Amino acid sequence: MIDESSVVLASAVRLTVPLAFAACGEYIAERAGTINISVEAMMLGGAFSAVLGATVTGSAATGLLFGMAAGLLVGFVHAQFSHRLGVNTYVVGLVLSALVLGLTSFLLDSVDLDKNQQVGAVDIPFLSDLPLLGPVLFSHRWPVYLLIALVPFVWWLVQRSRFGLELRAAGENPRSADVTGIDVRKRRRQALLICGLLSGLGGAYLAVGEVGMFNQNMTAGRGFVVIAAVIFGGWTLRGTLTGCLVFGAADAMRLALPALGLQLNAQLLIAAPYVLALLAMMFFAKSHRAPGALGRPFVRGTA
């Protein structure tokens, strides 16, 4: 029983990691006032590019950098169209998601990609041998441990740094921020670039950290779950990551229940993680409000 619980919990952590990477980026973007619909494109592009990079260089670790670069590219395109040219950010995000899905599907049939590229696993000495929690927390592929440093850094960046103060001002009251000399559109573009880096890393980890290969549409809507995690997490980092963990755990149960001999409706199992994640994350939204200018375009000089 303990072994089965360890397997399920470890699987929950692994499935949470790509969501958490992307959610940290989406959290930054939304605090700056942008609902980044293209996070799905960032993750999917990152996944494909990671496997492509690993195939070309022979290094899965280098593949992670390729994935981050792909996410950054999507973020750059989104930022230029939405916060420089003034195109509707939702339209740009949906177009990029459709474009990356089609492009990766086409390239998957055109390029011969390796199917056994994965980054190395790291077991923390002594701690990984602990019963139950050892395999769950201290025996993972090394990018998982990057979250330990990333999460407090993102909190500090948004809540304690001058850059974060300006970022939050751009998302709360962009007109007042503009009066004080803050370049609102620039801060929003920068937030999208950071989101691209982290979402690309999330997609890359999914490909070369967990699966070891690229499949068509392998992110399967995880980018939209990330957006839901931030919104229903009350635009707090803690709530956002909790939502990711709930979804990861629900997804792990979906995979584990048939293996444990429990026969349930297949469609219900597929839908259950999404339903459970939304219901759980709604709890965190009750005591928080959205950034005041979330989703609203900013044009300098207009009333």
Side-chain angles (χ1 to χ4, degrees):
M1 182 64 180
I2 292 179
D3 289 341
E4 292 177 350
S5 299
S6 295
V7 170
V8 174
L9 291 174
S11 177
V13 172
R14 290 195 299 270
L15 292 170
T16 297
V17 170
L19 298 177
F21 277 125
C24 285
E26 180 66 16
Y27 165 73
I28 293 173
E30 294 202 15
R31 290 307 300 263
T34 299
I35 299 179
N36 179 25
I37 303 297
S38 66
V39 65
E40 174 76 4
M42 294 170 177
M43 293 186 72
L44 186 60
F48 176 83
S49 298
V51 178
L52 178 63
T55 300
V56 171
T57 65
S59 169
T62 305
L64 291 174
L65 298 178
F66 275 69
M68 294 174 69
L72 181 63
L73 177 61
V74 175
F76 176 80
V77 173
H78 191 156
Q80 297 306 307
F81 274 93
S82 294
H83 300 302
R84 190 180 293 275
L85 301 179
V87 181
N88 185 288
T89 188
Y90 301 106
V91 173
V92 174
L94 290 173
V95 169
L96 285 173
S97 296
L99 175 63
V100 173
L101 175 60
L103 185 61
T104 54
S105 299
F106 170 75
L107 292 176
L108 181 61
D109 294 330
S110 306
V111 180
D112 186 19
L113 299 175
D114 287 349
K115 296 184 178 180
N116 58 351
Q117 292 282 359
Q118 283 184 290
V119 294
V122 175
D123 294 337
I124 305 299
F126 305 112
L127 294 178
S128 61
D129 296 326
L130 293 174
L132 187 60
L133 291 180
V136 174
L137 299 176
F138 306 111
S139 181
H140 292 282
R141 300 192 182 277
W142 63 261
V144 174
Y145 303 109
L146 294 178
L147 276 174
I148 298 174
L150 177 64
V151 170
F153 173 75
V154 168
W155 178 86
W156 173 85
L157 181 68
V158 175
Q159 299 295 335
R160 290 292 182 265
S161 70
R162 179 181 177 86
F163 174 79
L165 177 63
E166 295 181 355
L167 202 73
R168 287 182 284 123
E172 287 289 347
N173 195 328
R175 309 225 177 271
S176 296
D178 181 60
V179 170
T180 63
I182 297 172
D183 191 334
V184 173
R185 302 180 81 178
K186 181 179 180 180
R187 288 292 174 265
R188 290 182 173 182
R189 290 196 299 270
Q190 291 169 338
L192 280 173
L193 293 178
I194 296 172
C195 184
L197 276 174
L198 296 180
S199 298
L201 177 59
Y205 173 78
L206 179 66
V208 299
E210 291 302 322
V211 181
M213 58 184 291
F214 180 80
N215 297 315
Q216 184 177 8
N217 192 27
M218 70 179 302
T219 52
R222 284 178 172 84
F224 299 107
V225 171
V226 165
I227 298 173
V230 177
I231 295 174
F232 291 106
W235 292 272
T236 66
L237 188 57
R238 179 180 61 183
T240 295
L241 294 175
T242 300
C244 291
L245 182 59
V246 169
F247 178 81
D251 206 17
M253 290 299 297
R254 173 181 68 86
L255 299 173
L257 288 178
L260 295 176
L262 298 176
Q263 300 299 321
L264 296 175
N265 182 276
Q267 287 73 26
L268 178 62
L269 284 175
I270 293 173
Y274 298 91
V275 175
L276 289 175
L278 291 175
L279 290 176
M281 289 183 288
M282 284 177 65
F283 172 79
F284 298 97
K286 292 181 179 179
S287 59
H288 298 86
R289 66 174 184 83
L294 181 64
R296 300 178 186 173
F298 173 73
V299 180
R300 192 173 191 182
T302 60

